[in-house]
Amino acid sequence: MTIKNINRLLIANRGEIACRIIRTARNLGITTIAVYSEADKNALHVQQADESHCIGPAAATQSYLSIAMLVEAATQTKADAVHPGYGFLSENAAFAQALARHNIIFIGPSPEAIALMGDKRQAKSAMVAAGVPTLPGYSGDNQEHDYLIQHATDMGFPIMVKAAAGGGGRGMRLVTSEDQLSAAINSARSEAQNAFGNGDLLLERALTKPRHVEVQIFSDQLGNAVYLGERDCSIQRRHQKVVEEAPAPCLDTTIRTALGEAALLAAQSCNYVGAGTVEFLVDADGRFYFLEMNTRLQVEHPVTEEVFGVDLVAWQIAVAEGKPLPKKQADLMPHGHAIEVRLYAENPTQNFLPQTGKVQRWASQLLPHTRVDHMLFDGYSVTNWYDPMLAKIIAWGETREQAVARLINQIDNTTLLGVGHNLGYLRSIVDHPAFKEEQVHTGFLSQHGLGEYSQQLSLNQALIAANILELLASLHNRPSYLALSHLSQPQPKHWLINDNVYGSRVDARQWKIGKLTVDIDSAEAQPEKFEISNIDLTDERLIFHINNKKLIAHYWKHQEKSTVHVELQLNGNPFTVKSVDPLAGTLTSNTDENCSAPMDGMVVTLLVDEGTHVEAGDTLLILEAMKMEMPIKAQQSGIVSFACIQGEQVKQGAQLATVQPTDSETN
């Protein structure tokens, strides 16, 4: 076969995956071409690439999802090949076909393989024909609502309703009883149509606490195929992967081999070329069932790279050029253990609501045997236009125990200030005793109370840190004789954090011997007194002891008029703490009759008519932001009136609807 060298590579993606592809291409001496939307003109992947090309407005449908704009960019920049990364058009057969018509290499499988595996119904039929185990269910052409209800009822519960063209957990609903079924079908179909342009569904038997195990496969154009072990991706929230690791813990050699061979059967069934991932569910008895095949590089590919000592992007490029696979199956021996967590701009304490904001400080001090793939820099603006994943943190160890310890240490040495994130939540998962004891399954988070998240302990620590910073700034800005006078009595202060006002009183009369006392009071808890000592302050970090326990707070502090703003990170948890004037009253939320936007986003649909009577808890509209659909519900019963229209882009805090109680409801 003719070898066609790739000299100019266009990356049809953004964020951390675009930066990661650029890194490998540069090592191979390939010129990299970034594409970007108007919202991404200052993005890190644009800064890192050799060349860049604007492909349209911020909306993904007019830029990163526009086949016409991407093909035009590839032809104008004389690209030899296009790497699609993951997400966006990475599994779009029409995109691969469009590039082929212009003699541009698509770094991925054939359009036929993408189309087959991209349709879960067709893929399941192909797996049955190939002899790969599949879950019982329905994947037929009849998509009538009543027919799906009847078929699901006949199957029995629990079942999984899944988007036929989907991925990433979107368009997927677990149904445990018949009364949930109709709403689940409607909701899954709507989300699938909005996300993938295809509302077709399939039904599958749901397993109880299965493990999600996937196999990395690779095939070249010469007929060679290998599998690079398996990854465990069982730690999931809303069917979205949170923690991934390789190899999968607690699998015996027989099951590992059977999984790898089944994955190769799946790839061979569609003449697959390139990198792919075959995903399985594994039950408690070790039986496994085909779930889906992703015809692209996976988000979690770094753990496989770390365990096998390979560069999968370099492999992709070599295969696309027509070269044979760099290694044979016998050469692929895993070594050690690797774990990855996904850093998201989200608020775990508020149902993981996506967050926006400007990064005030990003720092990730790389420790031995760790890796951070990211898109961040000081001043970067996280918007609502794209997926909220910002980075991936990976650690390798000779043993799983060592990998866990290194990962926790790397999380503790990673700082992100200015935008809400989930680092503290991730730390709580990998530091959990059950995780360390390898008790992983898809129900892990809910079983161990990690489906919700509280920062109460760290909240007190954050308030103490803010008080210390304010005290030290106050002392620094005063002449020495006034500073001593300032310490003659406890200093009261009020702070706003998480929409609640906390009173504090700092008694620094023992400051000369390096101690002080902080009292914290709130409407939600009894007053607490904390003894603080061993305070050490730099421009970026505050170290102090609470009752002889050492704590490190990363911070960024600024002042607007008389208000002090402190961005803090403690134990991975981010806080924004603001000083407030107690005489001015506390900040208040919207009244019950008002429904406001929890973040910037687009109104996807209005679910009730103007002037309709609704009950408390009824869903009024769907807001979409960062690839997530958020139902906006009525807070009380009454007559609804809307302050927005379908398709409108709204800002965080904007009033979306008002529910006005009737006379009978107010009496």
Side-chain angles (χ1 to χ4, degrees):
M1 180 174 178
T2 303
I3 303 295
K4 184 179 179 182
N5 291 326
I6 294 172
N7 297 307
R8 294 177 60 79
L9 177 64
L10 184 139
I11 299 142
N13 217 296
R14 65 179 300 277
E16 59 83 20
I17 184 57
C19 296
R20 186 263 172 276
I21 295 167
I22 288 169
R23 185 170 66 246
T24 288
R26 178 168 293 153
N27 289 339
L28 295 173
I30 296 172
T31 298
T32 56
I33 306 162
V35 294
Y36 63 95
S37 72
E38 292 172 359
D40 269 344
K41 62 182 179 180
N42 297 317
L44 189 61
H45 74 283
V46 178
Q47 299 176 36
Q48 292 183 344
D50 298 305
E51 302 175 16
S52 59
H53 190 99
C54 183
I55 52 171
T61 53
Q62 301 175 55
S63 52
Y64 296 108
L65 287 172
S66 172
I67 292 176
M69 294 300 294
L70 287 165
V71 171
E72 180 183 354
T75 55
Q76 285 187 2
T77 59
K78 296 181 171 55
D80 302 314
V82 170
H83 197 304
Y86 41 69
F88 291 136
L89 296 173
S90 61
E91 296 180 285
N92 189 296
F95 183 42
Q97 289 170 334
L99 291 171
R101 288 194 293 269
H102 289 80
N103 296 315
I104 298 171
I105 297 171
F106 175 78
I107 298 185
S110 67
E112 293 75 20
I114 294 173
L116 175 61
M117 290 301 175
D119 187 314
K120 287 184 173 64
R121 294 186 297 137
Q122 293 186 44
K124 188 169 183 178
S125 298
M127 293 305 100
V128 171
V132 178
T134 61
L135 285 166
Y138 173 73
S139 56
D141 294 330
N142 190 335
Q143 293 290 305
E144 293 295 328
H145 186 84
D146 291 343
Y147 184 84
L148 293 178
I149 287 179
Q150 184 59 54
H151 202 99
T153 304
D154 293 342
M155 285 173 57
F157 302 93
I159 65 167
M160 194 69 74
V161 179
K162 298 169 64 176
R170 305 204 71 187
M172 185 181 295
R173 301 292 186 272
L174 175 64
V175 181
T176 58
S177 60
E178 186 175 355
D179 61 327
Q180 302 170 352
L181 184 57
S182 182
I185 290 173
N186 286 333
S187 176
R189 194 187 300 280
S190 172
E191 188 172 48
Q193 186 65 48
N194 287 329
F196 313 115
N198 184 339
D200 287 354
L201 303 173
L202 57 84
L203 310 172
E204 284 183 344
R205 170 78 67 200
L207 300 180
T208 302
K209 294 183 179 178
R211 293 175 63 184
H212 184 131
V213 179
E214 62 188 30
V215 179
Q216 176 72 62
I217 62 97
F218 234 105
S219 306
D220 62 24
Q221 300 180 48
L222 305 174
N224 304 306
V226 298
Y227 64 91
L228 292 90
E230 79 290 331
R231 301 182 285 254
D232 192 298
C233 306
S234 299
I235 308 296
Q236 300 180 7
R237 188 185 58 80
R238 296 175 183 162
H239 310 295
Q240 294 271 3
K241 299 168 186 175
V242 179
V243 182
E244 300 104 350
E245 56 183 309
C250 301
L251 284 184
D252 63 37
T253 302
T254 301
I255 296 176
R256 293 184 199 280
T257 302
L259 281 165
E261 292 175 349
L264 286 182
L265 273 179
Q268 291 162 357
S269 72
C270 60
N271 300 314
Y272 198 84
V273 172
T277 302
V278 186
E279 305 195 355
F280 299 93
L281 291 179
V282 182
D283 68 18
D285 296 321
R287 293 186 294 262
F288 59 85
Y289 306 91
F290 173 81
L291 184 61
E292 65 182 358
M293 182 175 183
N294 290 307
T295 57
R296 53 169 168 79
L297 199 66
Q298 290 281 89
V299 174
E300 56 272 20
H301 76 273
V303 294
T304 297
E305 293 183 322
E306 296 303 312
V307 167
F308 283 90
V310 298
D311 183 331
L312 294 182
V313 173
W315 280 38
Q316 285 186 297
I317 293 172
V319 166
E321 291 177 323
K323 298 173 183 175
L325 290 175
K327 293 188 178 184
K328 300 183 183 300
Q329 191 68 60
D331 302 324
L332 293 166
M333 301 297 293
H335 176 60
H337 201 96
I339 309 177
E340 171 184 296
V341 291
R342 304 183 182 194
L343 170 57
Y344 276 87
E346 63 183 12
N347 188 340
T349 68
Q350 295 184 352
N351 200 28
F352 300 89
L353 190 69
Q355 301 291 289
T356 59
K358 179 176 284 189
V359 175
Q360 301 298 342
R361 180 168 298 144
W362 162 254
S364 188
Q365 178 187 349
L366 281 182
L367 304 175
H369 302 295
T370 62
R371 165 178 167 183
V372 178
D373 291 2
H374 70 90
M375 57 188 289
L376 297 166
F377 56 89
D378 291 358
Y380 173 73
S381 292
V382 179
T383 71
N384 68 302
W385 288 108
Y386 311 114
D387 189 280
M389 190 176 78
L390 304 177
K392 302 178 302 194
I393 303 174
I394 307 103
W396 176 91
E398 290 283 352
T399 64
R400 186 177 187 270
E401 181 181 21
Q402 188 179 63
V404 170
R406 285 175 171 168
L407 181 60
I408 292 171
N409 200 15
Q410 184 60 59
I411 290 173
D412 289 343
N413 281 274
T414 299
T415 306
L416 176 58
L417 299 174
V419 60
H421 57 76
N422 66 337
L423 266 180
Y425 177 65
L426 296 172
R427 192 187 194 285
S428 71
I429 295 172
V430 296
D431 198 31
H432 195 281
F435 181 82
K436 292 180 177 179
E437 293 167 5
E438 303 182 351
Q439 300 173 15
V440 296
H441 54 80
T442 56
F444 179 92
L445 296 181
S446 58
Q447 177 182 345
H448 297 290
L450 292 166
E452 298 178 350
Y453 187 59
S454 171
Q455 296 176 328
Q456 188 60 44
L457 176 61
S458 291
L459 186 149
N460 285 337
Q461 296 169 354
L463 288 165
I464 291 169
N467 274 288
I468 296 172
L469 289 169
E470 179 67 0
L471 173 67
L472 296 183
S474 176
L475 293 177
H476 178 74
N477 293 329
R478 291 169 180 257
S480 57
Y481 67 90
L482 288 178
L484 292 174
S485 173
H486 180 69
L487 299 179
S488 62
Q489 58 184 350
Q491 298 299 308
K493 194 77 177 177
H494 286 75
W495 301 91
L496 177 69
I497 183 169
N498 293 350
D499 294 327
N500 292 310
V501 173
Y502 294 80
S504 66
R505 185 176 294 271
V506 178
D507 188 343
R509 285 175 289 187
Q510 291 182 298
W511 178 251
K512 290 183 179 181
I513 59 174
K515 292 185 179 181
L516 57 86
T517 302
V518 179
D519 290 84
I520 295 177
D521 188 16
S522 76
E524 299 177 348
Q526 293 295 319
E528 292 187 75
K529 183 184 294 290
F530 301 90
E531 298 292 332
I532 315 300
S533 61
N534 300 96
I535 299 170
D536 182 29
L537 180 68
T538 70
D539 289 340
E540 298 182 354
R541 192 170 66 172
L542 170 67
I543 302 174
F544 59 100
H545 287 66
I546 299 179
N547 300 331
N548 297 318
K549 181 180 179 180
K550 180 180 177 181
L551 287 171
I552 300 175
H554 305 277
Y555 76 93
W556 178 78
K557 181 173 176 284
H558 70 288
Q559 188 157 339
E560 296 178 8
K561 297 182 179 178
S562 60
T563 301
V564 177
H565 295 247
V566 184
E567 300 283 349
L568 284 163
Q569 184 176 305
L570 277 154
N571 302 321
N573 296 305
F575 298 93
T576 298
V577 188
K578 301 178 182 179
S579 63
V580 294
D581 180 356
L583 299 178
T586 63
L587 299 183
T588 58
S589 304
N590 287 327
T591 56
D592 283 346
E593 67 267 17
N594 291 341
C595 298
S596 61
M599 67 175 301
D600 296 357
M602 184 182 74
V603 178
V604 175
T605 183
L606 305 180
L607 296 177
V608 299
D609 294 330
E610 179 84 12
T612 301
H613 185 276
V614 297
E615 300 294 331
D618 286 353
T619 301
L620 306 179
L621 58 93
I622 301 294
L623 187 72
E624 183 178 55
M626 289 181 166
K627 296 174 64 177
M628 178 185 292
E629 288 193 349
M630 290 172 279
I632 305 300
K633 300 179 181 293
Q635 301 302 304
Q636 62 180 7
S637 300
I639 305 300
V640 64
S641 60
F642 289 103
C644 62
I645 59 175
Q646 184 170 316
E648 181 180 353
Q649 288 283 342
V650 296
K651 302 294 290 183
Q652 180 179 2
Q655 183 176 328
L656 304 177
T658 300
V659 177
Q660 187 65 44
T662 62
D663 291 340
S664 61
E665 288 164 325
T666 56
N667 293 332

